[in-house]
């Protein structure tokens, strides 16, 4: 089927007549149009279709015989509501210089819709005046998909509110967006090609294991929460990143060739800390409730005090001590005198186990002036002490703990005053060893709650009455 309408010619030739030159030109034009990869059509000055090639037939399903001779696209290749606008935009190329580019939807023969991008230009007659329009068009789904992919990539790397890091097959950052650079505390270019261990003080092994797994097995089914420690001028900063991973492979290779891993993360430190704090509060409240029930079954109030201490110790500290004021309880109106304390109970040193009563000899503990337990009694409030907030040599920690009459591995101490009926009975001390965090204000509040219960039990036991 010819791809063009031949007006004023005939297909019938006499037996001795040579083929007409016009026929040669028309057939050559039809062959050229049909051989093009782009869909091509043409309209005369009245908007009638004069040419329609095979690629146009492939895209829309209309053959050249069905298309050539129709008045524009109305009623067959575009919706009736869009026909006027489409025709105006196509024929406007006759009045405009150069090529005109448009995008609109055409209808296929089976009723489907195809989004196309057209390039149209005027066709000049022998007199130089516009005689029609030629139009080349192609499906733009692939082009639009590419443009969308590029736009998405640029948005992720510039405007995304979460971190995006493209990690190469050697587990080194190849592309970092602005949010990720801020989260890592470095510039976008300064982190490129560097090992992750240069950027993170802790959590590197877990993160690299996740990246390696994605390279080998593909993306995990759900996001992972990774705790890391960042190196900052102020010291290490602990953060929790909810991370998702996707494996990147080249779309151009026959076999999937890994290009690296796309790592997307969001900082959820505050929410995770909130969840942990809420869980800790629930646990501590439950421990206090369990302690009260267990203490209620003790016939000896002094034993009940030790029960409260043991329940409070779980998950809170490594060791605990109870010291009472020598000579009985002191009131706030008593004259100031040197504070002397006698050990009532203590957890075993160097081995796990319940607290045991002690101090039967009545000899005061050799606390020096300014000891946290002494300060606690003098101030009638909690006192926190620590060997250091950062890494401290073991020998220095040992000397610090020994000077305070605490186990040698103690790094952090918290003393809470024991008060009952307006009197100071003594002090309860909680101790943490190496690897544990320092006591904070919420810990002190919990210790004070425990101290109230222990003081009540001791007061009932009569262990602190004055002679």
């Amino acid at each position: 089927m010819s791809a063009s309408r031949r007006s004023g010619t005939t297909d019938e030739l006499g037996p001795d007549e040579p083929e007409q030159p016009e026929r040669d030109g028309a057939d050559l034009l039809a062959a050229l149009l049909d051989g093009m990869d782009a869909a091509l059509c043409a309209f005369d000055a009245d908007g009638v279709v004069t040419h329609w090639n095979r690629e146009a037939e492939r895209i829309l399903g209309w053959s050249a015989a069905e298309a050539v001779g129709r008045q524009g696209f109305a009623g067959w290749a575009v919706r009736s509501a869009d026909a006027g606008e489409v025709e105006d935009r196509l024929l406007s190329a006759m009045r405009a210089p150069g090529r005109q580019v448009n995008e609109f939807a055409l209808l296929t023969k089976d009723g489907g819709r195809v989004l196309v991008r057209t390039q149209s230009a005027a066709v000049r007659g022998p007199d130089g005046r516009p005689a029609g329009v030629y139009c080349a068009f192609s499906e733009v789904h692939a082009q639009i998909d590419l443009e969308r992919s590029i736009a998405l990539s640029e948005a992720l790397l510039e405007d995304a509110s979460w971190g995006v890091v493209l990690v190469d097959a050697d587990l080194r950052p190849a592309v970092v967006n602005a949010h990720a650079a801020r989260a890592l505390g470095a510039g976008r270019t300064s982190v490129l090609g560097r090992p992750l261990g240069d950027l993170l003080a802790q959590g590197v092994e877990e993160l690299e294991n996740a990246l390696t797994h994605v390279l080998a097995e593909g993306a995990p089914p759900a996001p992972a929460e990774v705790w890391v420690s960042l190196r900052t001028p102020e010291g290490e900063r602990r953060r929790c990143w909810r991370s998702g991973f996707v494996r990147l492979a080249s779309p151009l290779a026959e076999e999937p060739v890994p290009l690296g891993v796309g790592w997307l993360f969001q900082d959820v430190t505050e929410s995770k800390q909130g969840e942990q704090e809420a869980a800790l509060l629930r646990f501590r409240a439950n421990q206090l409730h369990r302690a009260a029930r267990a203490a209620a079954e003790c016939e000896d109030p002094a034993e009940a005090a030790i029960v409260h201490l043991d329940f409070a110790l779980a998950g809170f500290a490594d060791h605990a001590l109870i010291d009472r004021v020598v000579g009985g309880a002191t009131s706030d109106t008593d004259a100031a005198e040197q504070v002397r304390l006698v050990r009532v109970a203590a957890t075993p040193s160097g081995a796990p186990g319940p607290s045991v009563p002690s101090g039967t000899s009545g000899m005061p503990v050799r606390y020096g002036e300014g000891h946290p337990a002494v300060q606690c009694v003098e101030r009638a409030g909690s006192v926190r002490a620590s060997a250091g907030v950062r890494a401290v040599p073991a020998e220095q920690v040992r000397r610090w703990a020994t000077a305070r009459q605490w186990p040698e591995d103690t790094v952090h101490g918290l003393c809470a005053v024991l008060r009952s009926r307006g009197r100071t009975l003594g002090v309860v001390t909680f101790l943490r060893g190496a690897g544990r965090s320092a006591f904070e204000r919420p810990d002190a509040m919990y210790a004070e709650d425990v101290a109230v219960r222990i003081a009540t039990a001791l007061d009932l036991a009569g262990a602190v009455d004055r002679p």
Side-chain angles (χ1 to χ4, degrees):
M1 173 63 70
S2 173
S4 62
R5 183 183 65 181
R6 303 183 182 87
S7 301
T9 64
T10 176
D11 290 336
E12 297 181 2
L13 298 176
D16 298 324
E17 291 181 286
E19 191 167 340
Q20 304 264 338
E22 292 82 2
R23 176 65 179 271
D24 291 341
D27 287 344
L28 178 60
L29 176 60
L32 289 174
L33 293 177
D34 284 342
M36 298 291 289
D37 290 335
L40 299 172
C41 63
F43 304 86
D44 62 18
D46 297 324
V48 177
V49 179
T50 60
H51 295 81
W52 191 265
N53 76 341
R54 288 178 180 171
E55 183 65 12
E57 178 179 341
R58 185 194 68 80
I59 293 176
L60 298 180
W62 301 96
S63 67
E66 295 170 313
V68 173
R70 289 181 181 265
Q71 178 69 41
F73 286 153
W76 61 288
V78 295
R79 297 189 310 167
S80 300
D82 300 332
E85 180 186 357
V86 171
E87 183 173 350
D88 290 343
R89 290 165 68 180
L90 287 175
L91 296 182
S92 66
M94 288 193 297
R95 302 181 298 273
R99 293 181 296 175
Q100 302 296 307
V101 179
N102 293 286
E103 289 182 2
F104 43 75
L106 297 180
L107 296 178
T108 62
K109 187 176 182 179
D110 59 7
R113 296 178 75 246
V114 177
L115 184 64
V116 300
R117 177 171 294 168
T118 67
Q119 297 186 50
S120 53
V123 175
R124 305 288 175 180
D127 58 357
R129 301 178 62 184
V133 174
Y134 84 84
C135 175
F137 64 90
S138 61
E139 297 179 84
V140 293
H141 290 297
Q143 178 69 20
I144 290 179
D145 288 344
L146 176 61
E147 292 177 0
R148 285 173 177 165
S149 297
I150 295 174
L152 175 61
S153 299
E154 291 180 350
L156 287 174
L157 295 177
E158 297 296 335
D159 306 323
S161 58
W162 53 84
V164 180
V165 180
L166 303 186
V167 182
D168 62 22
D170 294 327
L171 306 185
R172 301 194 178 197
V175 180
V176 177
N177 77 338
H179 187 95
R182 290 193 298 270
L184 292 168
R188 293 182 61 178
T189 57
S190 64
V191 303
L192 302 184
R194 295 173 59 186
L196 294 173
D198 290 353
L199 308 173
L200 305 176
Q202 296 181 15
V204 178
E205 183 176 352
E206 180 181 0
L207 179 58
E208 290 184 341
N209 287 341
L211 295 171
T212 302
H213 173 81
V214 174
L215 279 173
E217 305 293 338
E225 291 175 352
V226 181
W227 282 92
V228 301
S229 292
L230 300 171
R231 292 190 175 94
T232 68
E234 296 77 23
E236 295 184 2
R237 185 163 58 99
R238 189 79 167 156
R239 310 303 296 171
C240 181
W241 291 338
R242 180 170 293 145
S243 303
F245 305 93
V246 291
R247 181 168 57 180
L248 305 179
S250 173
L252 305 179
E254 295 182 2
E255 296 291 335
V257 177
L259 298 178
V261 176
W263 170 31
L264 294 82
F265 66 89
Q266 190 175 30
D267 194 319
V268 294
T269 307
E270 283 71 21
S271 63
K272 293 301 296 183
Q273 288 177 340
E275 292 174 6
Q276 292 176 350
E277 290 172 2
L280 182 61
L281 288 175
R282 288 194 299 270
F283 173 77
R284 290 179 175 176
N286 185 52
Q287 286 296 98
L288 292 177
H289 177 69
R290 292 175 61 196
R293 293 181 60 181
E297 299 179 0
C298 297
E299 296 182 359
D300 183 359
E303 181 183 352
I306 295 177
V307 167
H308 281 294
L309 183 66
D310 288 335
F311 272 94
L313 196 64
F316 182 66
D318 299 318
H319 299 289
L321 314 169
I322 297 179
D323 299 324
R324 66 177 177 84
V325 175
V326 172
T330 61
S331 65
D332 296 338
T333 59
D334 288 344
E337 59 182 25
Q338 184 179 1
V339 176
R340 293 185 301 164
L341 298 169
V342 174
R343 183 68 39 83
V344 173
T347 54
S349 178
S355 302
V356 293
S358 61
T360 56
S361 65
M363 296 297 295
V365 184
R366 294 178 300 164
Y367 287 151
E369 185 178 355
H371 189 281
V374 175
Q375 294 182 37
C376 178
V377 174
E378 293 175 342
R379 300 176 185 178
S382 60
V383 175
R384 286 174 281 168
S386 179
V389 295
R390 297 186 181 182
V392 179
E395 181 60 25
Q396 182 177 338
V397 170
R398 189 188 65 79
R399 291 197 302 268
W400 180 84
T402 301
R404 288 157 180 78
Q405 305 295 315
W406 290 340
E408 293 183 354
D409 59 346
T410 300
V411 179
H412 311 291
L414 169 62
C415 299
V417 66
L418 302 175
R419 288 178 62 82
S420 178
R421 295 183 291 176
R423 301 170 301 157
T424 299
L425 280 61
V427 58
V428 57
T429 302
F430 295 99
L431 305 173
R432 290 177 178 174
R436 300 287 297 271
S437 61
F439 289 102
E440 299 180 351
R441 180 55 189 163
D443 298 323
M445 295 174 63
Y446 176 63
E448 290 168 1
D449 287 341
V450 175
V452 170
R453 297 167 183 263
I454 294 175
T456 302
L458 289 178
D459 204 6
L460 292 175
V464 292
D465 290 341
R466 290 182 181 275

